[in-house]
Amino acid sequence: MLCKSIVYAVRKSPKPRQLHHVPKAPLPGEPAKPYTLTEIPGPRSEALLNEFSKVQQVGSIQYFADYQRSVGNYLADIDGNVFLDIFMQLSTLPLGYNHRSILGALSCAGNQRIIANRPALGLFPGLEWPCKIQDTLLQPCVAPKGLPCVFTAMCGACSTEHAIQMAFIKYAERRRRGSSFTKEEKKSAPFNKPPGCPELSILSFEGGFHGRTFGALALTHYKYIMKIDIPSLPWPIAPFPQYLYPLDQHEKENKEEDERCIEQVEDLIEQYEKTMPVAGIIVEAIQCEGGDRHASPDFFQSLQNICKRKSIPLIMDEIQTGGGATGRIWAHEYFELIISPDMVTFSNKMQTSGFYHSFEYMPINPYRVFNSWMGDPSQILILEAVLQTIEAEDLLTHVCYVGNYLLCQLNTLQHEFPHIINSVRGRGFIVAFDLASKDMKNKLLYEIRNKGIQVGDCGIKSIRLRPCLIFGEYHADIFLEILRDCLQKLADS
């Protein structure tokens, strides 16, 4: 029986065909286990940090990695330490370090010429570009159903920026009802004045993170340090559900929380209609930076109903959740929406960035949504290798199986150390748990890193796990044994 702490998605995992689990042994070339030889950061990292600090703010750097020696699930640093990496570069590496399929794609002479002659894709794409897009991003098993169009971009924040621009453009086109731009619009737009630059807004959610560029930052409501001193936009911010765990013991309260948040969304749309109409709603499939906060299928279905009723595009941010991390290519597949969201942004595990959209949101005129490179062909080449590996090794089934195993074992630890760890939750390999306090979270991060485990944190007191798609039960057992030792040390202190 599956553990009850597992979030909604677990029982809806794709039905296994023939399971191809990674055996309980190291993968070829991997160390048998993590090990540390120094304090973290080690002396070589410390020396390099001191030197690098003369030219850049280095406070976020944990240590300097040795990518020549890193392999599979293991990340080496320049001091000889080797970490079992369950964070994977902010969840951006789908196949771990130095995977043979990716190295093979990059060593191909034809592909090297594509990389070397990096084109401005909006102006001079290569002959192979339409075919590469069709064979990767627009594969039927990859593209969200009902979204046949894709815009490629440079990064996750760029994806957000261009998606909300598309929403604004479509809103204005609807108002214009097929008419051309007026003289007043053309004259006022260069000076940031209406009617050329209308007073419109995008509704977002408390705790959300959508990027650090100007528009994306206005939609981000996470850490104050990201936003302080930077002017922003007075756009509506709705509450995102905050559930009580275990879920099966708080069904009534969590249902009421869904209803409260949806009611606030409707109220905000109505409030802003007269002064700054809502031209789009953006929401993460899982609020990753904000603390791995999940919402139910009912919440997302209700949100989509509002959008359809009011002709507002629903923009699903899958920058951190897309690419197979949840056991499906897109986390929103778990929500059983009647139709796809109007736009789906992507980056991170998808290697390339951008967003999918319906044909309805295709701009009428060129250069409306545009940038110099509009992505990078090298990332599509890597994505191609990743998708082939996911299919060949049935990694989505693997993620569901091992993700369930990991969550069940974490649930056991939660019962063993109830005063230290709580609220175990996750979908596939997007997994998190809370500590009793922020101070305890920081102590655990310190202890576990010095034992050779690389994890991340999010929210106020959450630890997040983001293994790559080839992470197996063998790796989970190593992590769980070390985690238990660290929890016992916290309990004894």
Side-chain angles (χ1 to χ4, degrees):
M1 181 180 292
L2 297 176
C3 297
K4 291 182 178 179
S5 66
I6 301 174
V7 168
Y8 309 95
V10 171
R11 62 179 179 273
K12 296 180 181 296
S13 302
K15 185 177 181 180
R17 295 172 294 199
Q18 184 174 353
L19 297 179
H20 303 289
H21 308 318
V22 176
K24 285 202 170 188
L27 298 179
E30 286 189 345
K33 60 182 180 179
Y35 55 87
T36 56
L37 306 176
T38 71
E39 287 287 316
I40 312 300
R44 292 188 65 195
S45 276
E46 286 277 21
L48 194 52
L49 278 168
N50 290 335
E51 189 65 26
F52 198 29
S53 69
K54 298 172 185 176
V55 298
Q56 194 175 106
Q57 166 57 249
V58 298
S60 62
I61 296 176
Q62 297 184 26
Y63 49 81
F64 285 89
D66 183 345
Y67 292 109
Q68 299 298 316
R69 293 176 52 241
S70 301
V71 58
N73 290 275
Y74 286 86
L75 172 63
D77 76 359
I78 62 174
D79 286 283
N81 302 301
V82 175
F83 302 88
L84 176 59
D85 191 352
I86 316 179
F87 191 47
M88 282 290 154
Q89 307 289 320
L90 278 167
S91 191
T92 61
L93 296 185
L95 303 178
Y97 296 97
N98 292 309
H99 195 276
R100 62 189 181 280
S101 67
I102 294 175
L103 295 180
L106 296 177
S107 67
C108 169
N111 287 347
Q112 287 174 358
R113 293 185 184 277
I114 293 173
I115 297 168
N117 299 290
R118 183 180 182 182
L121 292 168
L123 297 173
F124 310 108
L127 172 67
E128 74 289 333
W129 185 242
C131 185
K132 288 292 184 185
I133 291 293
Q134 198 67 46
D135 291 345
T136 54
L137 292 172
L138 293 178
Q139 282 189 64
C141 61
V142 176
K145 293 179 181 178
L147 301 185
C149 306
V150 66
F151 178 90
T152 51
M154 290 302 303
C155 64
C158 298
S159 305
T160 300
E161 291 285 343
H162 291 304
I164 63 176
Q165 287 175 22
M166 198 88 92
F168 289 137
I169 290 169
K170 176 52 63 175
Y171 186 95
E173 286 178 352
R174 285 172 177 162
R175 274 185 168 181
R176 215 174 273 119
R177 297 182 180 180
S179 301
S180 299
F181 305 127
T182 65
K183 290 182 180 179
E184 291 79 9
E185 287 174 329
K186 294 177 182 178
K187 184 177 179 180
S188 59
F191 300 97
N192 306 334
K193 301 288 186 181
C197 293
E199 295 286 342
L200 300 174
S201 65
I202 301 290
L203 185 146
S204 53
F205 290 85
E206 294 173 3
F209 178 79
H210 300 283
R212 294 172 181 261
T213 51
F214 192 76
L217 198 58
L219 303 168
T220 292
H221 317 293
Y222 174 39
K223 292 181 178 178
Y224 75 87
I225 198 65
M226 297 178 180
K227 303 188 68 164
I228 199 165
D229 298 331
I230 300 173
S232 195
L233 298 160
W235 291 349
I237 307 167
F240 190 83
Q242 297 193 54
Y243 293 151
L244 299 175
Y245 288 82
L247 294 174
D248 60 346
Q249 297 178 22
H250 298 92
E251 291 183 4
K252 180 176 181 293
E253 296 94 328
N254 292 339
K255 180 177 175 59
E256 290 172 351
E257 177 69 355
D258 278 349
E259 292 169 353
R260 180 185 74 87
C261 294
I262 288 297
E263 184 178 339
Q264 285 289 305
V265 170
E266 296 207 74
D267 288 347
L268 284 167
I269 293 171
E270 186 176 338
Q271 290 172 25
Y272 275 74
E273 182 59 35
K274 294 179 182 178
T275 57
M276 194 177 285
V278 174
I281 295 178
I282 189 166
V283 63
E284 293 164 276
I286 300 170
Q287 282 195 340
C288 294
E289 297 297 328
D292 266 29
R293 292 164 64 186
H294 297 251
S296 69
D298 286 346
F299 170 80
F300 286 103
Q301 290 166 17
S302 297
L303 189 61
Q304 187 177 62
N305 288 340
I306 292 172
C307 289
K308 292 306 173 189
R309 199 166 64 245
K310 296 183 177 293
S311 297
I312 296 173
L314 176 60
I315 306 169
M316 189 70 68
D317 183 334
E318 291 252 26
I319 287 169
Q320 296 202 40
T321 52
T326 63
R328 297 188 183 181
I329 293 294
W330 306 109
H332 76 261
E333 293 176 33
Y334 288 109
F335 304 154
E336 300 178 348
L337 301 175
I338 297 175
I339 58 174
S340 287
D342 298 283
M343 302 181 211
V344 176
T345 62
F346 59 86
S347 189
N348 287 26
K349 272 191 170 62
M350 292 292 286
Q351 303 305 285
T352 190
S353 302
F355 64 95
Y356 293 93
H357 60 92
S358 62
F359 192 79
E360 177 186 4
Y361 287 88
M362 185 83 72
I364 296 171
N365 300 309
Y367 291 101
R368 300 297 319 270
V369 182
F370 183 85
N371 60 65
S372 295
W373 278 316
M374 290 178 63
D376 187 335
S378 66
Q379 302 309 312
I380 290 291
L381 299 176
I382 293 174
L383 175 62
E384 186 174 38
V386 169
L387 293 174
Q388 289 170 356
T389 303
I390 288 174
E391 176 64 23
E393 299 183 12
D394 197 13
L395 290 181
L396 297 186
T397 300
H398 172 80
V399 167
C400 290
Y401 180 89
V402 179
N404 288 354
Y405 175 78
L406 179 59
L407 281 162
C408 284
Q409 299 305 312
L410 286 171
N411 189 61
T412 299
L413 289 176
Q414 177 177 250
H415 288 292
E416 188 176 352
F417 300 96
H419 300 299
I420 300 176
I421 177 177
N422 61 81
S423 302
V424 170
R425 57 201 182 275
R427 292 185 191 274
F429 280 171
I430 293 187
V431 176
F433 54 87
D434 288 352
L435 279 298
S437 66
K438 182 178 180 180
D439 180 61
M440 194 168 287
K441 178 192 76 172
N442 291 334
K443 287 180 181 178
L444 179 60
L445 284 171
Y446 174 82
E447 292 292 339
I448 204 166
R449 188 175 65 172
N450 278 284
K451 289 181 178 293
I453 301 292
Q454 181 65 60
V455 296
D457 67 324
C458 57
I460 297 172
K461 53 185 180 180
S462 299
I463 298 289
R464 56 175 162 172
L465 311 180
R466 297 292 189 269
C468 64
L469 305 184
I470 60 172
F471 182 85
E473 283 185 65
Y474 170 82
H475 306 99
D477 286 338
I478 293 172
F479 161 68
L480 290 161
E481 181 180 356
I482 293 174
L483 175 61
R484 190 188 184 285
D485 289 345
C486 292
L487 292 174
Q488 187 64 62
K489 183 174 181 179
L490 288 175
D492 293 341
S493 62

